[in-house]
Amino acid sequence: MIDDSCRLLGIDKLIVTRNEAAEAGTSAWHDLVHAHPADAFAWLGPHRRADGSRVLRALVPHARRVQVIAGDGQRWDLQPGPLPGVFEGAAGDDPVPLLAVHFAEGVEQMHDAYAFGPLLEEATLQGFHAGSEQAARELGAVSMRVQGIAGVRFAVWAPNARRVAVVGDFNGWDGRRHPMRLRHTAGVWELFVPGVQAGARYKFRIVGADGRIMPDKFDPMARWAERPPATASRVASAAALRWNDAAWLEARRKTGIAAPLAIYEVHASSWRRNEDGGPLDWEGLADQLIPYVAALGFTHVELLPISEYPFGGSWGYQPLGIYAPTARHGTPEAFAHFVDRCHQAGIGVIIDWVSAHFPADTHGLAGFDGTALYEHADPREGVHADWDTLIYNYGRSEVAAYLIGSALEWVERFHIDGLRVDAVASMLYRDYSRADGQWIPNEQGGRENLQAVAFLRRMNKALRERFPDVLVIAEESTAWPGVTAPVEEGGLGFTHKWNMGWMHDTLQYLRRDPVHRQHHHSEISFGLVYAFSERFVLPLSHDEVVHGKGSLLAKMPGDLESRFAQLRAYYAFMWAHPGSKLLFMGAEFGQHHEWSHDDALDWAQAASREGQGLSRLLSDLNRVLRAEPSLHRDECNEQGFDWSVADDSRNSVFAFIRKDPVGAGRSLLVVSNFTPVLREGYRVGVPEAGRWAERINTDSDYYGGSNVGNLGATHTCAQPMHGHAQSLRLTLPPLSTLYLQVDP
């Protein structure tokens, strides 16, 4: 009982305050022990008492005994606390106490994670909140030493979460062990966990904004992941990647984006299989793919998305870990070694990179902290109905920083030579694949996604400023103006754009029976109307050989011999047409059936006479492309192209001159005959008199043809034609393309 004298001395207030503190402590311990939201750093770790001594509190569920190990080797026990798993006692003098924790399975030594202060700088947090891509790259799992102790700093953006804990191999996946500290400046949670090593698996366990415990989340910034179907993140090695490609990077810096560009597009998991029937790892791909691509003469290999992705059937186009190479083919170090070997072999590496959407898998970004954090809350803005995926909220500065940081990291960390940005058209338009009423106009009442436009410009500007020699290629299928125009001139800032219109029109023409092609002549010629409006890539990609579309060879009409002849003629026409080139794997030898991501290419077909002939043609086309400035220099300059024959629809013949816009090098005459009719004495005007030699004849028996042609060369005569004083009298083989060039 408290009398009046005690009240006068304030003793009653002291007793009540102590009681409140005890009750608060009991409540806090209850929350910590039961993984409820609580300030872990206010209770756990070493704390200074009023008398100057230090007390240590630890939460180690399932521990039977916890001892402190002093620097001089002395040990003493922490005493069981108010609830199971809680231990407390003297902390000793060491700044970071070392504990010996006795479990039923054995004894583990660990430093106390709650003895460390905040590690992320305030400036970094402020920068991330403001949208700094460099600051964004500080998040994730970073191996480091703090106060001489090795471990991993985990940091994750979850501003609306009520609690975040890191769980993993190092704590038995127990969500009570390592609750994290909230850095209010940016809504980032961080924790340094001593003793965690590279390779450790981990996830984040989040109590969402509404108090629900979320499914364990993959680290958005993970640099390494478990091999699917497992879904955990892994701590990447802090060791620097080793490179031997300095000569390649220097050459790339000098030539920039103006070098010849012929791309071999590859799905790494199905190009070829190993002896067990599984996909090749990065070492196997380096051993087999690199010499194959080099022999074909392609300048670059383009990999379908290799960012970590959960569903194999998406081919990588629904990624969740856009900072981590997929573990399907090995470690990040192994991928870096693959890139290094490509560069040493003179081959650039482009990766497909996806910023348009992400899958709704519960372990991923969807509803990450219990709210629509990375995506939009309104499905009219945030859901791609075509793919059942979620759309990034490009207007949120942290999301834009996260995406741009990924683009920069692939180039910086892995020396990637180019990014092909997927589904750009779906990013640019709010009504993409949506009916009326299913989309929300922008603030100006239009259909353009202004936030996505701003993001793309900012991303391309960031890449240009740091890496002006790196390719950034847009898969963009609409008439959006200035896709490859500089940002400073109002463009989107890409270096290249896929020419989807050219692909669609020319394939539609080639599908037709040759007898009907005369009525659809413009499907070949129309592409030259706009060929110089952007810096284009002519794509014959994976999208054209799946979902019942058949292979490129199967699109050609007629018997097998004529189908191969048409494919050869088409490739040679394409390689001479303004624009860089892209060909999907298997098309180089005329695979009969369409591509399946579950099966390897038909390598028996590749070994056939027809397949080998087609591959030899591609090799020679790439050789000519590299050697002739007229075929690759200044692709956006219309001065490098002249029609000779554009209107001979009756014979389905096209002829044009390619010349070097700067005036150097020799002109190249290209003539295509897209009918099975042999045409003798066909006259074409040329700019120079002399002997014109056949550089390429797709009907050569070397390529699998019937060997009709001009006996290797022909001479001009002084008969004006097509605006030139000289002309050639040519034999045009059926279903063929010829390259001719005057002797020097």
Side-chain angles (χ1 to χ4, degrees):
M1 183 173 181
I2 302 174
D3 59 20
D4 290 341
S5 62
C6 290
R7 289 191 177 93
L8 289 173
L9 293 172
I11 296 175
D12 62 331
K13 183 177 180 180
L14 178 63
I15 294 172
V16 171
T17 301
R18 286 176 175 170
N19 289 339
E20 289 175 348
E23 290 175 3
T26 301
S27 175
W29 284 125
H30 178 274
D31 289 340
L32 288 169
V33 168
H34 291 88
H36 296 162
D39 183 357
F41 279 87
W43 297 94
L44 299 177
H47 291 266
R48 186 76 62 181
R49 289 193 177 108
D51 62 3
S53 63
R54 297 171 74 228
V55 64
L56 176 64
R57 305 187 192 99
L59 174 59
V60 194
H62 307 300
R64 295 182 172 184
R65 181 186 183 190
V66 177
Q67 294 177 298
V68 179
I69 305 176
D72 59 5
Q74 293 187 56
R75 296 183 179 225
W76 60 88
D77 284 280
L78 297 180
Q79 300 305 309
L83 294 173
V86 176
F87 297 84
E88 58 184 327
D93 297 327
D94 294 325
V96 181
L98 176 63
L99 307 178
V101 182
H102 298 251
F103 296 101
E105 300 82 9
V107 180
E108 295 182 24
Q109 288 192 5
M110 60 188 73
H111 285 94
D112 182 15
Y114 295 92
F116 299 92
L119 297 180
L120 285 167
E121 299 286 345
E122 272 298 314
T124 299
L125 295 169
Q126 292 171 6
F128 173 60
H129 183 58
S132 165
E133 56 269 16
Q134 292 300 121
R137 294 169 64 189
E138 294 293 318
L139 305 186
V142 180
S143 296
M144 58 176 56
R145 298 185 74 87
V146 180
Q147 296 179 234
I149 298 170
V152 173
R153 184 193 68 203
F154 295 95
V156 62
W157 180 53
N160 304 301
R162 297 177 60 182
R163 181 183 189 271
V164 179
V166 60
V167 295
D169 295 330
F170 43 85
N171 60 20
W173 299 87
D174 190 329
R176 297 168 291 180
R177 290 277 302 276
H178 288 114
M180 303 173 76
R181 169 192 277 121
L182 174 61
R183 305 296 301 278
H184 294 275
T185 301
V188 170
W189 299 74
E190 72 163 1
L191 183 69
F192 179 73
V193 183
V196 177
Q197 298 180 351
R201 301 176 304 154
Y202 70 98
K203 285 186 177 182
F204 295 112
R205 188 161 298 168
I206 298 174
V207 176
D210 60 358
R212 291 184 300 113
I213 299 177
M214 311 294 295
D216 287 352
K217 293 290 189 178
F218 183 90
D219 181 3
M221 301 294 299
R223 270 70 175 191
W224 189 15
E226 268 193 299
R227 180 168 182 162
T231 59
S233 308
R234 300 188 73 177
V235 176
S237 171
L241 298 173
R242 300 179 64 179
W243 296 96
N244 300 282
D245 63 349
W248 166 268
L249 295 178
E250 176 61 18
R252 190 186 77 183
R253 185 188 64 79
K254 290 180 178 179
T255 59
I257 64 171
L261 185 58
I263 303 167
Y264 184 68
E265 189 187 34
V266 175
H267 179 249
S269 292
S270 61
W271 180 72
R272 182 171 275 165
R273 297 301 177 106
N274 59 31
E275 294 178 354
D276 298 329
L280 296 174
D281 60 14
W282 291 121
E283 183 179 3
L285 285 163
D287 290 342
Q288 299 182 49
L289 177 62
I290 291 174
Y292 182 79
V293 172
L296 287 169
F298 285 95
T299 65
H300 290 70
V301 61
E302 179 175 323
L303 302 172
L304 270 60
I306 57 159
S307 299
E308 193 57 80
Y309 58 100
F311 175 47
S314 76
W315 316 329
Y317 288 102
Q318 294 185 14
L320 282 179
I322 62 172
Y323 283 73
T326 178
R328 289 168 172 83
H329 306 289
T331 66
E333 292 77 12
F335 173 66
H337 186 56
F338 168 81
V339 176
D340 195 42
R341 288 182 60 181
C342 283
H343 287 171
Q344 291 178 63
I347 298 169
V349 180
I350 300 168
I351 62 168
D352 281 12
W353 184 76
V354 184
S355 58
H357 60 149
F358 59 90
D361 297 58
T362 57
H363 71 279
L365 301 180
F368 191 79
D369 63 356
T371 67
L373 186 62
Y374 287 86
E375 70 272 34
H376 295 269
D378 192 325
R380 293 175 296 174
E381 294 183 282
V383 175
H384 267 311
D386 287 356
W387 304 308
D388 194 25
T389 54
L390 302 176
I391 300 170
Y392 287 105
N393 185 346
Y394 305 107
R396 183 165 283 161
S397 57
E398 296 93 342
V399 173
Y402 165 71
L403 291 168
I404 296 171
S406 166
L408 290 170
E409 183 137 333
W410 285 104
V411 176
E412 288 183 0
R413 184 182 179 206
F414 292 110
H415 293 198
I416 292 300
D417 302 288
L419 303 174
R420 178 268 199 184
V421 184
D422 179 61
V424 171
S426 75
M427 299 172 65
L428 294 175
Y429 299 96
R430 287 174 167 264
D431 64 344
Y432 181 86
S433 196
R434 296 177 186 270
D436 290 343
Q438 295 179 348
W439 59 282
I440 301 174
N442 63 34
E443 52 265 38
Q444 300 173 2
R447 57 195 285 254
E448 299 83 6
N449 189 330
L450 302 179
Q451 289 76 25
V453 171
F455 158 73
L456 289 170
R457 286 173 171 162
R458 179 181 156 193
M459 179 194 73
N460 284 324
K461 187 175 181 181
L463 285 164
R464 289 280 69 70
E465 289 174 349
R466 295 168 175 81
F467 305 101
D469 52 342
V470 166
L471 307 170
V472 192
I473 305 167
E475 187 208 16
E476 206 287 309
S477 56
T478 75
W480 187 282
V483 172
T484 59
V487 172
E488 296 77 12
E489 298 176 10
L492 294 182
F494 288 93
T495 65
H496 294 76
K497 169 183 172 174
W498 272 21
N499 193 336
M500 310 291 280
W502 175 91
M503 174 275 298
H504 176 270
D505 290 349
T506 57
L507 282 180
Q508 183 167 273
Y509 178 87
L510 268 297
R511 283 190 185 98
R512 302 184 188 280
D513 189 300
V515 73
H516 300 306
R517 288 174 180 166
Q518 61 180 310
H519 306 299
H520 303 277
H521 202 67
S522 64
E523 289 174 344
I524 288 289
S525 60
F526 181 68
L528 272 303
V529 173
Y530 59 87
F532 308 103
S533 61
E534 304 272 9
R535 185 179 286 106
F536 282 118
V537 172
L538 309 182
L540 295 178
S541 75
H542 64 279
D543 279 330
E544 313 319 315
V545 294
V546 291
H547 301 320
K549 298 175 186 176
S551 67
L552 292 184
L553 182 71
K555 298 181 197 304
M556 308 294 125
D559 59 21
L560 184 63
E561 183 178 353
S562 65
R563 279 187 280 150
F564 268 100
Q566 290 170 89
L567 201 55
R568 292 193 300 269
Y570 181 40
Y571 287 169
F573 172 81
M574 171 183 175
W575 252 248
H577 192 287
S580 300
K581 327 301 173 191
L582 179 142
L583 192 68
F584 185 58
M585 63 183 200
E588 76 277 10
F589 57 76
Q591 179 157 293
H592 290 272
H593 57 76
E594 73 175 26
W595 170 57
S596 168
H597 70 274
D598 289 325
D599 300 310
L601 297 181
D602 185 355
W603 292 104
Q605 170 60 29
S608 69
R609 173 183 178 273
E610 299 88 355
Q612 289 185 332
L614 190 58
S615 293
R616 283 194 289 265
L617 173 65
L618 261 301
S619 179
D620 284 351
L621 290 174
N622 281 325
R623 176 178 51 79
V624 174
L625 176 69
R626 288 173 181 261
E628 293 300 328
S630 62
L631 290 181
H632 66 256
R633 182 141 53 193
D634 200 0
E635 289 278 18
C636 291
N637 191 338
E638 60 186 342
Q639 300 303 314
F641 179 92
D642 274 334
W643 274 118
S644 295
V645 180
D647 57 356
D648 188 3
S649 58
R650 184 172 64 87
N651 292 314
S652 297
V653 171
F654 300 86
F656 54 85
I657 298 286
R658 292 301 308 273
K659 53 189 178 180
D660 187 350
V662 302
R666 294 180 291 159
S667 298
L668 191 74
L669 172 66
V670 181
V671 187
S672 293
N673 173 17
F674 287 119
T675 64
V677 179
L678 170 65
R679 305 199 183 279
E680 297 182 305
Y682 195 95
R683 193 165 292 279
V684 180
V686 291
E688 299 175 64
R691 178 181 182 272
W692 284 69
E694 284 185 348
R695 292 290 301 274
I696 294 287
N697 178 349
T698 64
D699 195 51
S700 166
D701 60 359
Y702 181 65
Y703 305 136
S706 58
N707 222 31
V708 175
N710 297 276
L711 301 177
T714 185
H715 288 77
T716 57
C717 64
Q719 180 174 337
M721 185 163 285
H722 305 133
H724 300 293
Q726 306 288 327
S727 59
L728 294 173
R729 189 172 182 271
L730 298 174
T731 296
L732 304 184
L735 299 172
S736 68
T737 293
L738 305 178
Y739 291 3
L740 296 106
Q741 196 167 43
V742 69
D743 285 345

